[in-house]
Amino acid sequence: MAYRIAVLISGSGSNLQAIIDRIEQGVLDARITLVVSNKPGVKGLERAEKHSLPFAVIEHKQYPSREDFDAALVRVIKESGADGVILAGFMRIVTPVLINAFSGNILNIHPSIQPSFPGVNAQKQAAEYAVRISGCSIHFVDEKMDHGPIIIQAAVPALAEDDEKSLGSRILILEHRIFPQAVHWLAQGRLEVRGRTVVVRDAPPPAVVHIDSFPALVSPGLEQGF
Ligand code: GRF
């Protein structure tokens, strides 16, 4: 049976879409049991509906604490039968209540080369800092924000004329490539965590991929179809 995932979102859900697309293409071996948004009316929910995926809105504002909110998430995610939890642009700090319920099976995406620029607005922070290389990271979730063991990263050039938007859209193209890939490895049970190091069994070697006219360095490399 395919590995079952719940995808948590807060907004546009373009990363959710990338995961849906790879599943529908038969490349990513997983099944989405539930999409949860902490905000009503976001585009990501429309995407879930369009693809006939179960979805729910659980507003964090309705709960007295982060732990109570996470307990509500755990309830619906468990009910859906999910094995793992994918934080795809989910703009909430999660607590041990969620982390312990799905220990070792929670992934997050962060739009920077970690450990740089944790927290919100990573692309804005990078553009204002005027870095020359930026990118994105997929990591296991632990109790510190944007911190857990890194599975895969992609690096893109940052240009002198870049602003948050132009840099962010270049990074986003790579987010859509590496996130489904990391979910696939998780689903196949190919990720082994040794301290901070994640070993991907039979991972392709680091590779350069071309997006528009830009080279991007992806490590580990991407498998066929990602
Ligand atoms: C992405 O840049 C993600 O890395 C960040 O929030 C954005 C979400 O985009 N944390 P989307 O909702 O997947 O389109």
Side-chain angles (χ1 to χ4, degrees):
M1 189 168 58
Y3 184 85
R4 294 159 299 181
I5 56 172
V7 183
L8 274 48
I9 61 169
S10 299
S12 141
S14 69
N15 279 289
L16 164 67
Q17 187 69 55
I19 291 167
I20 293 172
D21 291 345
R22 292 295 173 272
I23 291 173
E24 291 187 350
Q25 288 158 11
V27 185
L28 165 51
D29 187 19
R31 186 163 73 81
I32 298 174
T33 59
L34 184 65
V35 174
V36 184
S37 173
N38 65 314
K39 289 192 182 159
V42 296
K43 177 139 184 242
L45 291 169
E46 285 171 33
R47 298 180 195 267
E49 191 169 22
K50 185 161 171 231
H51 291 267
S52 307
L53 296 170
F55 61 89
V57 176
I58 302 187
E59 291 188 75
H60 59 275
K61 287 186 265 174
Q62 310 280 347
Y63 295 86
S65 69
R66 291 189 191 279
E67 286 77 12
D68 289 305
F69 173 59
D70 280 4
L73 291 175
V74 169
R75 264 195 307 278
V76 292
I77 296 169
K78 291 260 185 212
E79 269 168 28
S80 80
D83 309 298
V85 181
I86 307 304
L87 308 182
F90 183 61
M91 306 306 280
R92 301 298 302 166
I93 293 171
V94 296
T95 70
V97 172
L98 180 77
I99 295 167
N100 295 337
F102 294 95
S103 176
N105 288 280
I106 312 179
L107 303 191
N108 182 44
I109 185 158
H110 188 65
S112 85
I113 299 287
Q114 287 176 317
S116 64
F117 308 124
V120 289
N121 299 330
Q123 304 94 327
K124 182 164 184 274
Q125 295 181 57
E128 285 175 357
Y129 201 93
V131 296
R132 302 315 303 257
I133 304 258
S134 189
C136 46
S137 311
I138 310 295
H139 64 95
F140 281 108
V141 172
D142 66 10
E143 289 173 24
K144 292 190 198 155
M145 188 176 57
D146 299 327
H147 171 270
I150 294 165
I151 298 164
I152 181 171
Q153 293 184 305
V156 300
L159 310 180
E161 59 269 28
D162 268 332
D163 57 13
E164 173 189 0
K165 197 155 170 274
S166 59
L167 180 59
S169 50
R170 196 172 309 121
I171 294 170
L172 193 63
I173 295 169
L174 271 303
E175 294 185 34
H176 297 162
R177 304 283 298 272
I178 67 171
F179 210 177
Q181 175 69 86
V183 175
H184 183 64
W185 288 331
L186 176 73
Q188 291 198 321
R190 288 166 60 190
L191 302 176
E192 189 194 324
V193 184
R194 298 181 192 157
R196 273 209 62 83
T197 303
V198 179
V199 178
V200 185
R201 202 155 21 89
D202 299 322
V208 173
V209 299
H210 286 269
I211 49 154
D212 305 329
S213 53
F214 296 102
L217 176 62
V218 182
S219 183
L222 299 169
E223 295 176 335
Q224 190 73 35
F226 287 97

